Structures are given as C-alpha cells and as structure tokens.
Amino acid sequence: MPELPEVEVSRMGITPHILQQTVTKVNIHNPNMRWPVPDDVYQITNLPVIAVERRAKYLLLICELGSVILHLGMSGNLRVVDKNEPLKKHDHIEFIFGNDKALRLNDPRRFGCCLWQAPDTVHKLLSKLGPEPLTDEFTAKRVYEYSRNKKVPVKQFIMDNAVVVGVGNIYANESLFKAGIHPKREAGKVSLARYQQLIPIIKETLAAAITQGGTTLKDFAQSDGKPGYFAQQLLVYGRKGEPCMKCEKELTEIRLGQRSTVYCSNCQK
C-alpha cells in the first residue's frame, strides 16, 4: 500500500503540471471505486487548480468551489500524461487540463477513491485525523500523554491515525527498530524518554523516504512512472530470517493487527 512518503512524492510530482491549470474536462471511466465517485467532482470543470495539498494519505486538488479528494488505496498511482495518450487498463478517472495534460488515477484493485469536499467544510474522512508527522504538532509529549493506560502494542499505536497520520506499516517497522523498541511493547508502558527518542526517528525516516522518492513497492510508481528508491535502505521490513544489520541475529516476523511485523529480538526491547 502506498504510504505517506509515496503519496507526498506523488503530490510533488503532479503539482508542477497541474497547479494553476484549468480543468477542461473530467472523465469518470469507472465510478465504482471504494465509494462511488460523486457527480460533485464535475464541479472542478472549467476551474483552475489553485493548490495541491496532502492530508494524511489523501491528496486534495483545490479550486474555488471545493476540493477533489483522491486516495491511492492499496495499488493506485497517479500519472501526468499527454491528454491524447491511450488509456491504460485500470485508468478509472482522469482530469484534462488546458495545457493538454491529463492526470490519471490508475487503480487495479479499486480500493482508492475520488470524492468531493465542499468549501469551508471538512470531509468526514478527514475530520478525525491526528497531526501530520512532519509538523511541530507531533511531539513526544503529546504522544506520551495520549498513550497512558493504552495496552495496544506500540507499533499499532503509532499507526493509529488518531495519534498521528501516515505512519504506515513499513515506516513503523523501520522506526521502532532504529529506536530499539519492541513492536509488541504496550504503548502505555513506553516511557517519555523512549518516545523522545522515537518521534524524531519517525520524522527522520519519513523525511528521508520523501527525499529519496518513496519506497519501491510492487504497485507504486511516481507520477513520471519511475519507482522510488528508499526500499534499498530498509533495515527490517521484508527481511524476515535475514541477519540484523546491527547484531547479526536472525530477524523475526510476527503478525500485529494483521500486518507483517519484522524486528530484532536482541536489539529491540
């Protein structure tokens, strides 16, 4: 599943091509996404995109009448192409612009979405989200206070969008390894000092992934079609049974919240 860095890389990739460009046409080739694509999306037609923003893993194409909300789901990607380029299989939604470019959402599994947010409102999908991880609002003190009496494993805790948005499975694995925290440790039993170590690591890990173009996942490509490169530097994720890069002990894989969790039983306590 594309995680926050991949979505941010997509935002950075598409923005130069569509910012301040007028949408001349919206083509909904398949409205049956995770939720049916509402007709409200057509309101962006004949209006310029005045901003391209990201909230958690959602991208927002903002115009004066509202915002188109896009989510890549588990296998989606966005591409900017010439408007006359033939459609690819699973190109479900496209926005045609006055510069003869097209922004296309391709999603084989159709777990993504294309929705509408009216001006001066917050869509229900965005209304209960926690802070962005790369902002000053995401602090060790806030996380520590929120974690008190929480018995949920710390890995699942930092993946909770009410705690912080966008810390997905890959980056939770990596951050906990770097901080030396066992993923099954109860969130409420992690000390303030350890959160003070973990939170900067989460920020650094996500920032590094964004800088390097996102993680190379099976179904992810940047808006220009090129894969990211951060996967080459993953320390634990996807390395079950391989030696720990710190102590050389064999890495262990378990399931937490139905997600693959890889850690070093020697380095993470």
Side-chain angles (χ1 to χ4, degrees), residues 5 15 35 85 95 100 110 119 121-122 129 139 148 187 191 249:
T15 296
W35 300 283
E85 182 173 313
F95 301 88
D100 294 330
R110 289 188 285 118
T121 66
V122 178
L129 294 176
T139 66
R148 295 307 86 188
S191 68
K249 182 179 176 67

Side-chain angles (χ1 to χ4, degrees), residues 37-65:
V37 179
D39 289 342
D40 289 339
V41 167
Y42 289 106
Q43 292 185 61
I44 200 172
T45 308
N46 296 323
L47 294 173
V49 174
I50 59 178
V52 183
E53 297 182 356
R54 178 190 54 75
R55 182 69 173 106
K57 298 180 185 180
Y58 297 92
L59 289 175
L60 289 85
L61 310 183
I62 300 173
C63 69
E64 63 178 331
L65 292 183

Side-chain angles (χ1 to χ4, degrees), residues 76-95:
N77 68 78
L78 291 168
R79 302 186 333 276
V80 176
V81 299
D82 291 335
K83 69 176 184 179
N84 294 322
E85 182 173 313
L87 292 171
K88 290 186 176 182
K89 186 178 181 181
H90 308 304
D91 277 346
H92 301 311
I93 299 165
E94 67 175 341
F95 301 88

Side-chain angles (χ1 to χ4, degrees), residues 133-197:
L134 299 180
T135 64
D136 292 340
E137 190 180 352
F138 180 47
T139 66
K141 183 175 183 293
R142 181 186 183 279
V143 174
Y144 172 77
E145 291 175 350
Y146 193 82
S147 72
R148 295 307 86 188
N149 300 318
K150 296 287 194 303
K151 296 184 181 299
V152 64
V154 65
K155 177 174 178 261
Q156 291 173 263
F157 178 72
I158 62 173
M159 291 177 62
D160 184 345
N161 279 335
V163 177
V164 60
V165 300
V167 182
N169 193 42
I170 293 175
Y171 301 107
N173 275 276
E174 294 296 296
S175 298
L176 288 169
F177 174 73
K178 292 176 184 178
I181 299 174
H182 197 292
K184 289 182 68 176
R185 178 175 287 276
E186 291 182 11
K189 293 184 178 179
V190 177
S191 68
L192 175 59
R194 301 199 81 185
Y195 278 124
Q196 287 172 332
Q197 182 182 16

